[in-house]
Amino acid sequence: NTYFCMTEVLEFENVIDQERLLQAFEQVMECHEILKAVIYKENNKWNQKINSKSGVSVKYVKENRRVTGEAELLTFAMLVQEELRDNMNSNVSIGLCQMDHVNYCIVSINHLFIDAYSFRIIIDDFIKCYEVNESVHLVRTASVNEWAKVYEQYYHQNSLTEDITYWQSYYQVEKSSLSKAYVLEKSVFADSDKACAVVDEDVVSKMIKNGDQAYGIDILMLTALSAAVQKTFGNQKVEINLENFGRNCIYPDIEISRTIGWLTNKYPILLEVKSSEKWINRIIETKKAIESVPNRGFFHDYIVNELSLCGDNMKDPQISFNYLGQYNESYHDSKIKYSNFQLENGVDSKIQKFFDLDINARVSENGKMYIDLDYNRYEFKKSTITALMAEFSQNIRMIVDEVF
C-alpha cells in the first residue's frame, strides 16, 4: 500500500480534447517504456520489469470537474495521486478540472520508476504530441539498463583510488548537527510541514543571465543556503546533500541526456561559512568545494553502500538541496503551460523522511523562483524555519546585488 508519486498541474489555453490527450500520453509511453514497468513479488523478493503486454495504461480519475479555489484544486490533485496507490496497472494518473474558466490537467506519475528530470522530459514530450496532434518523432537516448551496464563496467575497469581516498577522508571529518526543538526516534511524512519562499523575477533573471554562465545557479544558491543555515542554527560548517539530475555523464561512449528512469546522483558536501568574507569569495569557495569532489560524486553510493569502505559511523546529511531548473524554458508559444500551483508529491504518510530539511527550488512559468522546504513540525519550531527561509531568500538577493 506504499506509494510515492510526482505531480504537476498543466494549464490549457483552450478546451481540453480528452481523446487527443489520451493518445498523446499513449505515444509518450510507447517511446519511454519505463512507464510500463511493474513491480512484482517472486520468491519473497520484490522485482521490477518492463511488461509491455500487461496493459499498463493511463488512469483517468475525474473528467471536467469544476473546482472553486486553490484549496479545492489541491484536494482534487490528491485524489489523482491516490489512484496510483493500489493500481498496479497504471503508472500515470490524470485528472481534468476547470477553475475560473481555465482548464487544468493534473498529471501524477509513479516516482518509484522515474526521477524529477525524467518527469520534465515526459511532460515536454506530451505537450509536443498533443499540440502537433499526429505522430511525432520523440528523441530517446540510452536505456537505464544500458547506462547501468556502462556504469558497472567503468568501476570494474578503474580502481577508483581517488574517489575512495576522498570519501574515506570526508567521513573522518567531524560534523556538527542542527539544533532541534525536539528529537524524534523516527520522523515520518505524516508529520511533515511546508515552508515556501519566493524570489522575484527581476532577481531570478539576473541570476540566470549572469550567474549561470559564471558559476552555476546551484553554486549561488548553495552559498546563500549555507550562510542562512549558519545564521539560523550557528553551524560554521554546513553539510548538505547535493542532488543533481545525473545526466552530465562522465562516460563518453553513452548518451543519456534524455534517458528516462532513476539517474539522480546524490552526494554530500561540507561548506565552511566565513561570514566576514564578501559574497564573491564565498561563491568561489563553494565552487571549489563542489569541484573537489571526484567524478562529480558519481561513485559515492557505490563506495559507501556496496564496498562499505567508509566505516560504520556515517550519517546522512540533515539538509538536502535540489535545484530543479527552469520550468519556463520550453514552449514559449505553446497553449499549454506549467501552472504556478505548488503541489506536494504524493507520499505515503508512514514512509520515513529522508532528510530533516528537504529543500527544492525551481523557476516557474512566471519567472519567479519558488523555494520549498519540507520539515518535521515536531522537530523544528515554525519560527526557526520561517527565519531560515527569510534569510535564504534575502541572501540570494544580496548575492545578486553585490556580484551582478
Side-chain angles (χ1 to χ4, degrees):
N1 292 325
T2 296
Y3 78 110
F4 190 16
C5 59
M6 296 176 290
T7 305
E8 284 290 347
V9 180
L10 302 178
E11 183 177 317
F12 283 63
E13 186 174 307
N14 301 319
V15 175
I16 299 174
D17 184 327
Q18 296 175 29
E19 182 178 355
R20 188 167 152 189
L21 180 98
L22 184 59
Q23 289 174 349
F25 265 110
E26 294 290 357
Q27 187 175 347
V28 172
M29 292 178 73
E30 285 299 317
C31 177
H32 304 301
E33 290 185 332
I34 192 67
L35 293 176
K36 295 183 178 182
V38 293
I39 294 178
Y40 63 98
K41 202 169 189 179
E42 187 175 78
N43 298 326
N44 208 32
K45 290 184 179 180
W46 288 104
N47 300 283
Q48 173 183 317
K49 68 177 180 180
I50 305 296
N51 193 350
S52 58
K53 298 180 180 179
S54 67
V56 177
S57 61
V58 176
K59 173 68 177 177
Y60 262 118
V61 184
K62 299 284 185 181
E63 299 178 2
N64 289 335
R65 172 183 285 204
R66 292 186 180 276
V67 298
T68 56
E70 183 175 345
E72 192 173 334
L73 185 145
L74 298 180
T75 300
F76 176 57
M78 291 176 63
L79 295 177
V80 177
Q81 293 173 340
E82 289 175 358
E83 284 295 319
L84 299 178
R85 182 195 297 269
D86 300 314
N87 195 324
M88 299 300 291
N89 287 323
S90 292
N91 291 321
V92 181
S93 179
I94 298 173
L96 306 181
C97 66
Q98 292 179 323
M99 184 176 70
D100 298 331
H101 305 292
V102 179
N103 299 287
Y104 294 100
C105 174
I106 299 171
V107 182
S108 192
I109 297 183
N110 197 333
H111 203 357
L112 296 175
F113 299 116
I114 66 169
D115 56 23
Y117 190 76
S118 297
F119 196 12
R120 287 277 303 277
I121 295 172
I122 289 167
I123 294 297
D124 287 352
D125 282 354
F126 157 71
I127 292 174
K128 185 184 297 182
C129 291
Y130 182 89
E131 297 207 310
V132 174
N133 195 25
E134 60 184 38
S135 182
V136 177
H137 174 67
L138 299 177
V139 178
R140 56 182 289 181
T141 51
S143 69
V144 172
N145 285 339
E146 291 170 328
W147 169 82
K149 290 177 182 177
V150 173
Y151 182 96
E152 185 177 16
Q153 183 181 32
Y154 185 94
Y155 67 65
H156 280 314
Q157 292 178 348
N158 295 272
S159 63
L160 301 183
T161 302
E162 182 184 3
D163 300 71
I164 292 171
T165 301
Y166 177 89
W167 290 116
Q168 286 179 330
S169 176
Y170 178 89
Y171 283 107
Q172 289 175 359
V173 177
E174 187 174 347
K175 290 97 176 172
S176 56
S177 300
L178 301 177
S179 57
K180 297 181 179 181
Y182 186 78
V183 179
L184 299 175
E185 184 176 339
K186 184 178 181 181
S187 180
V188 295
F189 277 97
D191 300 329
S192 287
D193 205 346
K194 297 282 186 181
C196 181
V198 181
V199 181
D200 293 336
E201 53 191 310
D202 58 330
V203 177
V204 175
S205 177
K206 290 178 183 178
M207 285 179 67
I208 294 172
K209 182 179 179 180
N210 302 301
D212 206 20
Q213 297 178 357
Y215 304 104
I217 300 297
D218 55 341
I219 292 175
L220 299 179
M221 296 195 68
L222 283 168
T223 304
L225 174 59
S226 58
V229 172
Q230 189 275 330
K231 180 72 176 293
T232 307
F233 292 95
N235 298 49
Q236 290 301 125
K237 293 184 178 180
V238 179
E239 187 181 29
I240 301 173
N241 173 77
L242 185 57
E243 183 171 340
N244 59 52
F245 299 137
R247 267 64 176 189
N248 297 322
C249 190
I250 62 174
Y251 324 116
D253 299 330
I254 188 169
E255 172 59 46
I256 58 172
S257 61
R258 286 181 57 82
T259 297
I260 302 298
W262 264 104
L263 279 76
T264 300
N265 186 40
K266 300 179 182 180
Y267 60 93
I269 56 170
L270 188 63
L271 301 176
E272 184 174 359
V273 181
K274 300 178 180 179
S275 55
S276 60
E277 292 280 356
K278 292 183 178 180
W279 283 113
I280 185 63
N281 295 332
R282 295 195 235 180
I283 291 169
I284 292 172
E285 289 301 313
T286 301
K287 184 177 181 181
K288 287 180 180 178
I290 294 175
E291 291 179 344
S292 69
V293 179
N295 289 314
R296 304 171 190 161
F298 262 76
F299 299 106
H300 169 265
D301 284 354
Y302 174 69
I303 292 169
V304 170
N305 298 321
E306 298 296 325
L307 300 183
S308 301
L309 293 178
C310 296
D312 300 324
N313 297 321
M314 294 182 310
K315 291 183 179 179
D316 290 329
Q318 293 176 278
I319 305 170
S320 180
F321 175 77
N322 187 10
Y323 173 58
L324 298 170
Q326 297 171 243
Y327 279 60
N328 60 352
E329 290 179 307
S330 303
Y331 304 105
H332 289 288
D333 299 325
S334 173
K335 297 183 185 302
I336 305 174
K337 305 286 187 183
Y338 285 95
S339 82
N340 295 319
F341 292 113
Q342 302 300 298
L343 296 184
E344 298 181 18
N345 287 337
V347 184
D348 198 294
S349 61
K350 61 179 176 289
I351 294 178
Q352 189 165 345
K353 290 174 64 63
F354 311 120
F355 302 97
D356 292 332
L357 304 179
D358 196 351
I359 304 168
N360 291 280
R362 79 182 204 182
V363 178
S364 194
E365 282 282 357
N366 58 12
K368 297 180 180 180
M369 177 181 288
Y370 292 86
I371 306 172
D372 295 313
L373 188 154
D374 182 285
Y375 68 100
N376 189 306
R377 66 171 68 90
Y378 299 113
E379 290 191 316
F380 296 95
K381 293 181 180 179
K382 190 176 184 66
S383 58
T384 302
I385 299 301
T386 301
L388 173 65
M389 293 296 274
E391 190 72 22
F392 187 12
S393 55
Q394 179 181 323
N395 288 347
I396 293 173
R397 297 184 186 94
M398 291 173 62
I399 287 173
V400 170
D401 290 342
E402 180 181 310
V403 178
F404 305 123

